[in-house]
Amino acid sequence: MKTAFIALLVFFIHIGSPAAAPPASDGQQDFNWELGTWQTTLRRLSKPLTGSQEWLEYAGTTTVTPLMGKRANIVEFDVQGPAGRIAGVSLRLYQPASGQWSLHFANLANGAMTEPMQGSFRQGRGAFFGQDMLDGRKILVRFLIVPLGADQWRFEQAYSADNGKTWEDNWIAVDTRQAVLPSR
Protein backbone atom coordinates (compact mmCIF):
# COMPACT_ATOMS: atom_id res chain seq x y z
CA MET A 1 0.00 0.00 0.00
CA LYS A 2 2.81 2.41 0.94
CA THR A 3 4.70 1.64 -2.30
CA ALA A 4 1.61 2.31 -4.43
CA PHE A 5 1.01 5.60 -2.61
CA ILE A 6 4.61 6.71 -3.18
CA ALA A 7 4.35 5.74 -6.87
CA LEU A 8 1.15 7.77 -7.15
CA LEU A 9 2.80 10.77 -5.47
CA VAL A 10 5.79 10.52 -7.82
CA PHE A 11 3.36 10.36 -10.76
CA PHE A 12 1.59 13.53 -9.52
CA ILE A 13 4.92 15.35 -9.29
CA HIS A 14 6.03 14.03 -12.70
CA ILE A 15 2.95 15.42 -14.49
CA GLY A 16 3.15 18.72 -12.63
CA SER A 17 -0.05 18.20 -10.68
CA PRO A 18 -1.14 20.92 -8.25
CA ALA A 19 -0.50 18.32 -5.51
CA ALA A 20 3.20 19.14 -5.99
CA ALA A 21 2.75 22.88 -5.46
CA PRO A 22 0.36 25.18 -3.63
CA PRO A 23 -2.83 25.78 -5.62
CA ALA A 24 -2.85 28.97 -7.74
CA SER A 25 -6.51 29.61 -6.87
CA ASP A 26 -8.67 28.21 -4.15
CA GLY A 27 -10.55 25.78 -6.46
CA GLN A 28 -13.71 25.43 -4.40
CA GLN A 29 -15.88 26.51 -7.34
CA ASP A 30 -14.22 24.20 -9.89
CA PHE A 31 -17.35 22.07 -10.39
CA ASN A 32 -19.86 24.96 -10.69
CA TRP A 33 -19.99 24.51 -14.49
CA GLU A 34 -21.42 21.02 -14.00
CA LEU A 35 -24.43 21.86 -11.83
CA GLY A 36 -27.65 20.79 -13.53
CA THR A 37 -28.83 17.91 -15.69
CA TRP A 38 -26.90 16.32 -18.55
CA GLN A 39 -27.53 13.77 -21.28
CA THR A 40 -24.86 11.08 -20.87
CA THR A 41 -23.46 8.66 -23.42
CA LEU A 42 -21.06 6.08 -22.07
CA ARG A 43 -18.66 3.54 -23.54
CA ARG A 44 -17.32 1.03 -21.00
CA LEU A 45 -14.67 -1.62 -21.59
CA SER A 46 -16.31 -4.95 -20.72
CA LYS A 47 -13.22 -6.58 -19.15
CA PRO A 48 -10.56 -4.03 -18.13
CA LEU A 49 -6.90 -5.02 -17.99
CA THR A 50 -7.48 -8.32 -19.82
CA GLY A 51 -6.62 -7.24 -23.36
CA SER A 52 -10.31 -7.19 -24.27
CA GLN A 53 -11.41 -4.62 -26.85
CA GLU A 54 -15.15 -5.16 -26.33
CA TRP A 55 -16.83 -1.85 -25.53
CA LEU A 56 -20.37 -1.64 -24.14
CA GLU A 57 -22.57 1.38 -24.86
CA TYR A 58 -25.07 3.12 -22.60
CA ALA A 59 -27.16 6.31 -22.58
CA GLY A 60 -29.01 8.16 -19.84
CA THR A 61 -28.67 11.16 -17.55
CA THR A 62 -26.38 12.70 -14.99
CA THR A 63 -27.66 15.23 -12.46
CA VAL A 64 -25.27 17.32 -10.34
CA THR A 65 -26.64 19.08 -7.25
CA PRO A 66 -24.63 21.50 -5.08
CA LEU A 67 -24.20 20.98 -1.36
CA MET A 68 -22.68 23.11 1.40
CA GLY A 69 -22.38 26.37 -0.54
CA LYS A 70 -21.02 24.57 -3.63
CA ARG A 71 -18.00 23.23 -1.69
CA ALA A 72 -19.47 19.77 -2.23
CA ASN A 73 -21.83 18.22 -4.72
CA ILE A 74 -23.70 15.02 -5.34
CA VAL A 75 -23.77 13.38 -8.75
CA GLU A 76 -26.61 11.03 -9.68
CA PHE A 77 -25.67 8.87 -12.66
CA ASP A 78 -28.14 6.56 -14.45
CA VAL A 79 -27.50 4.97 -17.87
CA GLN A 80 -28.85 1.94 -19.70
CA GLY A 81 -27.81 -0.11 -22.69
CA PRO A 82 -27.95 -3.63 -24.14
CA ALA A 83 -25.64 -4.84 -21.33
CA GLY A 84 -27.97 -3.50 -18.62
CA ARG A 85 -28.14 -0.51 -16.31
CA ILE A 86 -25.48 1.38 -14.36
CA ALA A 87 -26.80 3.62 -11.61
CA GLY A 88 -24.51 5.31 -9.16
CA VAL A 89 -23.88 8.26 -6.96
CA SER A 90 -20.73 10.30 -6.46
CA LEU A 91 -20.04 12.58 -3.52
CA ARG A 92 -17.42 15.23 -4.24
CA LEU A 93 -15.88 17.19 -1.38
CA TYR A 94 -13.59 20.22 -1.59
CA GLN A 95 -10.54 20.13 0.70
CA PRO A 96 -9.48 23.73 1.46
CA ALA A 97 -6.10 22.85 2.96
CA SER A 98 -4.88 21.20 -0.25
CA GLY A 99 -7.07 23.00 -2.81
CA GLN A 100 -8.10 19.57 -4.08
CA TRP A 101 -11.31 17.60 -4.37
CA SER A 102 -12.00 14.07 -3.20
CA LEU A 103 -14.37 12.01 -5.35
CA HIS A 104 -16.26 9.11 -3.75
CA PHE A 105 -18.30 6.83 -6.08
CA ALA A 106 -20.82 4.13 -5.22
CA ASN A 107 -22.40 1.80 -7.76
CA LEU A 108 -25.96 1.19 -6.63
CA ALA A 109 -25.80 -2.42 -7.91
CA ASN A 110 -23.63 -3.39 -4.95
CA GLY A 111 -23.94 -0.35 -2.67
CA ALA A 112 -20.19 -0.27 -2.10
CA MET A 113 -18.23 2.97 -2.16
CA THR A 114 -14.89 2.99 -3.99
CA GLU A 115 -11.72 4.38 -2.48
CA PRO A 116 -11.73 8.18 -2.91
CA MET A 117 -9.85 9.79 -5.75
CA GLN A 118 -7.95 13.06 -5.16
CA GLY A 119 -7.20 15.85 -7.58
CA SER A 120 -8.01 19.25 -8.97
CA PHE A 121 -8.52 21.30 -12.09
CA ARG A 122 -5.63 22.90 -13.93
CA GLN A 123 -6.09 25.04 -17.03
CA GLY A 124 -9.73 23.94 -17.25
CA ARG A 125 -9.06 20.19 -17.06
CA GLY A 126 -9.62 17.94 -14.07
CA ALA A 127 -7.19 15.17 -13.10
CA PHE A 128 -7.97 12.81 -10.22
CA PHE A 129 -6.06 9.74 -9.02
CA GLY A 130 -6.67 6.94 -6.57
CA GLN A 131 -6.35 3.24 -5.83
CA ASP A 132 -8.83 0.41 -6.23
CA MET A 133 -9.04 -3.36 -6.41
CA LEU A 134 -9.79 -5.27 -9.62
CA ASP A 135 -10.15 -9.04 -9.52
CA GLY A 136 -8.21 -9.21 -6.24
CA ARG A 137 -5.27 -7.02 -7.30
CA LYS A 138 -4.45 -3.44 -6.42
CA ILE A 139 -4.57 -0.98 -9.29
CA LEU A 140 -4.23 2.76 -9.78
CA VAL A 141 -7.14 4.73 -11.20
CA ARG A 142 -6.96 7.96 -13.21
CA PHE A 143 -10.06 10.06 -13.90
CA LEU A 144 -9.81 12.97 -16.33
CA ILE A 145 -12.44 15.63 -16.99
CA VAL A 146 -11.95 17.42 -20.31
CA PRO A 147 -14.05 20.23 -21.79
CA LEU A 148 -15.31 19.64 -25.34
CA GLY A 149 -17.26 22.92 -25.38
CA ALA A 150 -19.26 25.11 -23.02
CA ASP A 151 -22.05 22.55 -22.78
CA GLN A 152 -20.21 19.29 -23.40
CA TRP A 153 -17.58 17.48 -21.30
CA ARG A 154 -15.71 14.19 -21.55
CA PHE A 155 -15.02 11.96 -18.52
CA GLU A 156 -12.27 9.36 -18.97
CA GLN A 157 -11.37 6.65 -16.49
CA ALA A 158 -8.24 4.53 -16.92
CA TYR A 159 -6.61 1.75 -14.90
CA SER A 160 -2.96 0.95 -14.38
CA ALA A 161 -1.70 -2.37 -13.05
CA ASP A 162 1.98 -1.27 -13.24
CA ASN A 163 2.02 1.71 -10.83
CA GLY A 164 1.22 4.29 -13.50
CA LYS A 165 3.71 3.29 -16.20
CA THR A 166 0.86 2.49 -18.60
CA TRP A 167 -2.84 3.26 -18.53
CA GLU A 168 -5.81 1.57 -20.17
CA ASP A 169 -8.96 3.64 -20.75
CA ASN A 170 -12.03 1.71 -19.62
CA TRP A 171 -14.78 4.30 -19.18
CA ILE A 172 -15.45 7.19 -21.55
CA ALA A 173 -18.55 9.28 -20.95
CA VAL A 174 -19.63 12.42 -22.76
CA ASP A 175 -22.12 14.70 -21.01
CA THR A 176 -24.14 17.25 -22.98
CA ARG A 177 -26.10 19.83 -21.00
CA GLN A 178 -29.86 19.38 -21.26
CA ALA A 179 -31.70 22.44 -22.48
CA VAL A 180 -33.53 24.22 -19.69
CA LEU A 181 -37.23 24.32 -20.47
CA PRO A 182 -39.01 27.62 -19.79
CA SER A 183 -41.24 27.55 -16.73
CA ARG A 184 -44.97 27.82 -17.35
Side-chain angles (χ1 to χ4, degrees), residues 22-44:
S25 65
D26 104 348
Q28 68 180 316
Q29 304 299 312
D30 283 348
F31 279 105
N32 283 2
W33 58 269
E34 195 183 13
L35 301 177
T37 304
W38 301 78
Q39 291 289 3
T40 301
T41 58
L42 169 66
R43 293 182 65 229
R44 179 180 67 85

Side-chain angles (χ1 to χ4, degrees), residues 13 56 59 110 117 123 146:
I13 293 168
L56 307 172
N110 64 14
M117 299 182 72
Q123 298 175 342
V146 181

Side-chain angles (χ1 to χ4, degrees), residues 147-158:
L148 300 177
D151 292 323
Q152 194 172 59
W153 290 74
R154 181 178 169 113
F155 300 81
E156 302 174 11
Q157 178 179 277

Side-chain angles (χ1 to χ4, degrees), residues 75-91:
V75 179
E76 296 175 79
F77 177 82
D78 194 350
V79 295
Q80 294 185 40
R85 178 179 181 211
I86 302 172
V89 64
S90 180
L91 174 63

